[in-house]
Amino acid sequence: MAQKNDIPVIINGKVYTLSGYESEEYLQSIAMYINNKITECKSSEHYRKLNAEYQGVLLALNIADDYFKIRKQAEESNKVEDEKDKQLYDLRHEVIETRIKQESALKLVEEYKEQVNALQRKIIQLEAEQNRSSSKK
């Protein structure tokens, strides 16, 4: 099991300790994401006029918006991947069916060649018999 990490991070100018089994880099990236969102929100004059409670709610809404957009993208990406997997499966099946048909056709060609050879031998045999009959007369 991974070791639990406790790391100090600065969020909105204050030091917090983040704990988790994820890497320190991952925990730092979370803190950086939150700081970037706070900076993004603070760039709005409307946000700066709100009291702390409303600022927190607006920040949470912005983070939730990011989350739902990314989740939707992931779902759409998974749908596209599933469709591609199905197409690949169908194409592989088509290739197998085509190979089976090809092998069947090749067997028929071989059978027909054998029949043609047998008929050619029969023709030669009949011609030879006819020549013998003609020469006896």
Side-chain angles (χ1 to χ4, degrees):
M1 188 160 137
Q3 180 181 352
K4 187 173 182 182
N5 292 311
D6 296 322
I7 63 162
V9 296
I10 298 174
I11 298 176
N12 199 22
K14 295 182 183 175
V15 176
Y16 295 90
T17 299
L18 291 184
S19 295
Y21 292 99
E22 293 82 4
S23 69
E24 289 185 22
E25 294 81 15
Y26 177 77
L27 295 173
Q28 285 288 350
S29 68
I30 290 173
M32 187 168 42
Y33 171 77
I34 297 297
N35 278 321
N36 288 339
K37 279 316 240 183
I38 292 170
T39 301
E40 182 183 314
C41 287
K42 282 184 175 180
S43 69
S44 164
E45 190 172 322
H46 176 70
Y47 178 84
R48 290 191 306 260
K49 290 181 181 178
L50 297 174
N51 67 35
E53 182 181 353
Y54 282 116
Q55 285 180 347
V57 170
L58 188 58
L59 178 64
L61 287 170
N62 273 276
I63 292 169
D65 180 52
D66 286 351
Y67 167 76
F68 281 100
K69 285 178 181 173
I70 294 296
R71 189 172 85 176
K72 184 178 180 182
Q73 285 177 348
E75 287 170 357
E76 289 172 0
S77 186
N78 285 339
K79 284 181 186 176
V80 168
E81 188 176 324
D82 289 346
E83 288 174 14
K84 286 181 179 179
D85 285 346
K86 185 186 179 316
Q87 288 175 347
L88 183 60
Y89 176 82
D90 291 345
L91 287 172
R92 285 180 176 160
H93 248 301
E94 192 175 319
V95 166
I96 290 169
E97 287 175 6
T98 303
R99 283 183 182 163
I100 290 170
K101 287 178 183 176
Q102 179 189 23
E103 288 172 5
S104 177
L106 288 173
K107 284 181 184 177
L108 276 175
V109 166
E110 288 303 315
E111 288 174 16
Y112 291 151
K113 282 182 180 178
E114 288 175 17
Q115 288 177 5
V116 166
N117 286 338
L119 290 171
Q120 285 175 339
R121 284 191 300 273
K122 185 72 171 174
I123 290 171
I124 292 170
Q125 180 185 10
L126 291 172
E127 286 175 346
E129 287 176 10
Q130 183 182 18
N131 285 340
R132 275 185 262 151
S133 296
S134 296
S135 62
K136 288 183 183 178
K137 289 184 181 180

